[in-house]
Amino acid sequence: DPSGAAPIETDAYLAGLDTKRVKLRLKRTELLLEYTDQHPDVVQIDRQLELLQIERRRYLRQLESKQKN
């Protein structure tokens, strides 16, 4: 990368978001062994996953715009 920006794969913030997402998905899977997807704990995890996805997209757009400049 000629601009000197870190490649997306090694971005620490993104890695943190991905780690959090994996942990939430594992927790969700565990909850689904006992509860339905309508259970408040599962619904809460679904919301958190959705927010993480939104944050990840926002951050990637921010990175892309920085790399263009």
Side-chain angles (χ1 to χ4, degrees), residues 32-43:
L32 288 174
L33 295 173
E34 294 183 43
Y35 307 115
T36 70
D37 60 358
Q38 302 301 309
H39 188 277
D41 291 350
V42 178
V43 170

Side-chain angles (χ1 to χ4, degrees), residues 25-56:
R25 290 184 69 82
L26 282 171
K27 179 71 174 165
R28 184 181 191 278
T29 301
E30 289 171 14
L31 287 171
L32 288 174
L33 295 173
E34 294 183 43
Y35 307 115
T36 70
D37 60 358
Q38 302 301 309
H39 188 277
D41 291 350
V42 178
V43 170
Q44 182 183 13
I45 286 178
D46 286 341
R47 281 199 201 110
Q48 288 177 289
L49 285 166
E50 197 176 317
L51 291 173
L52 272 175
Q53 188 62 32
I54 291 166
E55 172 60 20
R56 193 176 196 285

